[in-house]
Amino acid sequence: MVIFGANGDLTKRKLLPAVYRLAYERRLPGSFAIVGNSRTPMSDDAFREKMYEAVKHFLEDSPFDEDLWTSFAANLHYVAGDLNDPKLYQDLGAKLAELGRRNVLYYLSTQPSYYSVVVGHLGTAGLGTAGLGTSGSGSADSKAAEPAQVQPGGWRRIVIEKPFGHDLDSARALNNCIHRVFPEEEVYRIDHYLGKETVQNIIAFRFGNGIFEPLWNRRYVNHVQITAAESIGVEGRGAYYQEAGALRDMIQNHLLQVTATIAMEPSAVFEPDAVRDERAKLLRSIRILHPEEVPAYAVAGQYRGFREEPGVNPETQTDTYAAATFFIENWRWAGVPFYIRSGKKLPKRVTDIAIHFNDAPHALFSSGDGGPPARPNLLILRIQPEEGISLRFVSKQPGSGMRLRPVSMDFNYGTSFGERSPSAYETLLVDVMKGDPTLYTRQDMVEASWRAVQPILDYWGSQKFDFPNYEPGTWGPAAADAMLARRGHQWRNS
Ligand code: BG6
């Protein structure tokens, strides 16, 4: 596994702890090795020392085994070099040849502006799929240079971190560039939300049970709310975040993938492309807004204090909060609003999906004190930090008369399974090594989700907002409440 950006935050916080954990559970192939790259000159030993500190620090709920680390660290290597310099790729090729591994996984964890640079150089150096000399890659670069320094006969895959492009056009351009070196089946665009156990469980819940699917449509579902709230701010990532904003950082990718999982049709078989076809179809069914509709369908927010964060322009118009109303134009969902929101510096960290069902068709019991709340039936899929599912319904309160009270039936992962869930990165790394792309996003999925947010990005790009418009520790701008109120709805802030 070649990690570009090996000195970066993601490698330290997520990748190395995940790989170490896989080693701990003996889920790595025996011949596994890592080659890290960044610009900083460093010996193999210095790299190992850095990773040792990182893994010990960021290995969340798992034990650290010093003996295991010693054998694990022996397979960590480091090649310093500038991503723009062709020599780096010659050095990498030589290192890979020296290690003699057949299969190579490239992991792009650099600044996104380097993605096409690295891929281009890999192609030129003969380190992409074309370097294998197989005929399996119709779109591989025929002009790739000779030196197939890596052992022939294996595979070359590439994992690309988000953001994949910064808008629809750049995502398309990046796809074209990658396909010159790696065919689509070897391209793994990672969206770590799809690797979360609780997101994978949406599929099990919907399609493994017979009782929910009949209700999962416009006849019974009134609206859906998808929330990814964070209490933290931008945590030293001001420079990156200022270019991205909440809509690009969370909604275009993570939350639209979650939406696709919630709303897609069942696939005929549980196979990678069958499942991905359904996700892609759903994303393509999202109604594309006209520019003049954007103010009524999307709300941007920025917390007070963002402009003072390090690396942030004091006049920035970047959104640290975004909320949008999407409609899915198909028979199952026509007319059902999907409200999606994400923000930094909100009151707490919570990601969940709330399916609000329609009221009972006839109100038998009067409302008022002790009466049923409006729209009592609510299904909450809790993604994090609580992991589970709750179903809310009303029940008769003990005592005389017919007084109703909402109650809840809860499933909790911890209590039911009592074991640690693998991190999203563990799951996704094993999948790419096995060659299973079910939980990775395909070119058409990425492009469809950019298409869905593009009118909002364009409109917001042309506006001058009166930012900041929400205080840290609150649920975002008042306009987001007004967006739901126009349809008689209200955010579920719990
Ligand atoms: C990342 C975003 O993709 O996801 C971050 O860039 C965000 O801004 C993070 O904090 C949230 O991930 P999780 O798994 O903590 O919900």
Side-chain angles (χ1 to χ4, degrees), residues 39 102 152 169 196 242 259 307 312 359 388 410 437 455 463 485:
R39 220 169 6 194
R102 285 177 67 232
D169 288 345
K196 290 179 190 278
Q242 164 173 271
T259 307
R307 291 175 172 187
V312 174
D359 291 339
D410 296 313
Q463 295 301 297

Side-chain angles (χ1 to χ4, degrees), residues 51-370:
M51 294 302 119
Y52 173 79
E53 296 301 333
V55 170
K56 263 189 107 162
H57 186 76
F58 290 111
L59 197 64
E60 287 161 359
D61 52 4
S62 317
F64 184 82
D65 178 336
E66 295 280 350
D67 290 341
L68 172 68
W69 176 263
T70 309
S71 54
F72 178 79
N75 292 314
L76 297 184
H77 307 269
Y78 185 77
V79 174
D82 186 324
L83 297 171
N84 288 308
D85 184 355
K87 179 167 178 305
L88 164 64
Y89 304 87
Q90 299 303 327
D91 292 350
L92 272 178
K95 179 54 102 182
L96 290 171
E98 177 195 321
L99 293 172
R101 302 297 196 267
R102 285 177 67 232
N103 301 323
V104 183
L105 173 62
Y106 299 106
Y107 200 110
L108 282 189
S109 167
T110 65
Q111 276 177 32
S113 54
Y114 280 110
Y115 292 170
S116 50
V117 174
V118 175
V119 171
H121 279 296
L122 287 174
T124 312
L127 295 173
T129 308
L132 291 171
T134 58
S135 56
S137 55
S139 52
D141 187 355
S142 54
K143 290 205 294 285
E146 274 301 286
Q149 294 107 326
V150 194
Q151 295 249 317
W155 47 251
R156 310 277 176 276
R157 297 192 180 127
I158 187 158
V159 177
I160 301 170
E161 265 294 336
K162 64 166 274 269
F164 195 89
H166 59 269
D167 57 13
L168 178 57
D169 288 345
S170 56
R172 280 189 178 137
L174 183 56
N175 275 325
N176 289 339
C177 160
I178 292 169
H179 287 159
R180 278 185 226 121
V181 182
F182 296 93
E184 177 64 22
E185 51 287 12
E186 306 294 10
V187 180
Y188 287 69
R189 297 172 195 79
I190 196 163
D191 186 309
H192 78 281
Y193 267 57
L194 288 178
K196 290 179 190 278
E197 284 289 323
T198 42
V199 173
Q200 293 182 66
N201 188 46
I202 296 172
I203 298 190
F205 180 79
R206 288 190 56 200
F207 305 139
N209 296 294
I211 60 174
F212 302 110
E213 253 336 85
L215 306 181
W216 217 256
N217 58 55
R218 62 193 301 278
R219 279 187 69 194
Y220 299 98
V221 175
N222 183 275
H223 70 279
V224 177
Q225 297 185 13
I226 301 181
T227 299
E230 293 182 283
S231 53
I232 55 170
V234 291
E235 306 280 288
R237 296 161 75 223
Y240 152 75
Y241 198 85
Q242 164 173 271
E243 298 305 316
L247 185 66
R248 280 195 179 90
D249 187 50
M250 292 292 292
I251 294 186
Q252 180 274 334
N253 36 64
H254 304 322
L255 297 190
L256 283 181
Q257 292 303 329
V258 169
T259 307
T261 313
I262 280 289
M264 69 187 191
E265 296 301 315
S267 57
V269 285
F270 192 64
E271 284 171 9
D273 269 326
V275 176
R276 298 201 298 172
D277 285 347
E278 296 304 335
R279 279 195 220 279
K281 223 159 70 187
L282 191 286
L283 291 167
R284 280 199 303 271
S285 316
I286 294 176
R287 189 165 88 77
I288 307 295
L289 296 176
H290 295 292
E292 65 277 9
E293 292 175 313
V294 172
Y297 285 79
V299 174
Q302 187 188 86
Y303 65 81
R304 184 178 306 283
F306 175 62
R307 291 175 172 187
E308 284 82 57
E309 300 269 8
V312 174
N313 171 351
E315 294 184 2
T316 182
Q317 289 282 314
T318 298
D319 48 308
T320 60
Y321 173 100
T325 307
F326 289 108
F327 283 94
I328 294 167
E329 296 191 309
N330 64 18
W331 279 48
R332 188 192 279 263
W333 294 116
V336 177
F338 282 71
Y339 301 116
I340 303 185
R341 64 176 165 168
S342 180
K344 302 274 188 200
K345 292 261 185 195
L346 300 186
K348 62 178 188 179
R349 175 170 187 250
V350 61
T351 302
D352 63 20
I353 302 145
I355 318 270
H356 292 250
F357 290 93
N358 285 329
D359 291 339
H362 172 61
L364 201 51
F365 310 108
S366 62
S367 58
D369 245 0

Side-chain angles (χ1 to χ4, degrees), residues 10 12-22 25 27 58-62 107 190-200 349 384 387 419-431 439-440:
L10 182 83
K12 292 181 196 153
R13 281 174 188 271
K14 301 284 183 193
L15 286 182
L16 256 290
V19 175
Y20 172 81
R21 178 73 207 185
L22 292 174
E25 291 184 347
R27 295 177 71 201
F58 290 111
L59 197 64
E60 287 161 359
D61 52 4
S62 317
Y107 200 110
I190 196 163
D191 186 309
H192 78 281
Y193 267 57
L194 288 178
K196 290 179 190 278
E197 284 289 323
T198 42
V199 173
Q200 293 182 66
R349 175 170 187 250
Q384 63 188 27
E387 299 183 323
E419 59 188 68
R420 168 189 176 275
S421 301
S423 74
Y425 278 93
E426 288 165 47
T427 302
L428 293 169
L429 284 171
V430 169
D431 283 359
L439 301 176
Y440 282 85

